[in-house]
Amino acid sequence: MRYKVTFVVGLALGYVLGTHAGRERYEQLRKSARELAQNPVVRNAAETAGQSGRQLAGKAFAAVSDKVGDAVPDGLVGRVRGLRGRGSGADDDWGTSNT
């Protein structure tokens, strides 16, 4: 799924950069992209993906730290703890309303 989305985004970006259709078509594509980004289903999917990523990062950190022990750098420990704290849903960059 990620590769399909990446392909579509790349295709759209290439079209916008390479088109000779002018400003009108650019504005139309921009409006469509904005509407898609504001769609509650898309926002919830992005939020779910972010939470899943944070959970996987925590699990990976736990697995690595069990094998490596105290050799895990403190900076990495702080980053992972920061990712875990963001999973609470308090203030995220998406502004979802969980509807």
Side-chain angles (χ1 to χ4, degrees):
M1 178 73 178
R2 181 180 75 191
Y3 296 108
K4 289 180 184 179
V5 172
T6 304
F7 175 76
V8 170
V9 169
L11 186 65
L13 182 63
Y15 179 77
V16 168
L17 295 176
T19 188
H20 295 280
R23 185 76 175 174
E24 183 178 329
R25 182 66 178 150
Y26 169 76
E27 291 297 332
Q28 183 183 19
L29 287 171
R30 192 170 139 200
K31 179 182 174 188
S32 297
R34 186 179 301 127
E35 289 173 356
L36 179 68
Q38 292 177 352
N39 185 335
V41 174
V42 174
R43 292 179 124 181
N44 287 338
E47 184 177 343
T48 301
Q51 289 174 352
S52 297
R54 287 188 287 274
Q55 289 173 353
L56 288 174
K59 288 178 183 177
F61 174 75
V64 169
S65 64
D66 286 345
K67 290 183 181 183
V68 177
D70 293 333
V72 177
D74 291 335
L76 179 61
V77 171
R79 288 185 192 141
V80 172
R81 286 189 181 134
L83 287 174
R84 287 181 180 168
R86 285 177 44 189
S88 64
D91 285 330
D92 61 1
D93 295 338
W94 292 92
T96 57
S97 61
N98 294 327
T99 55

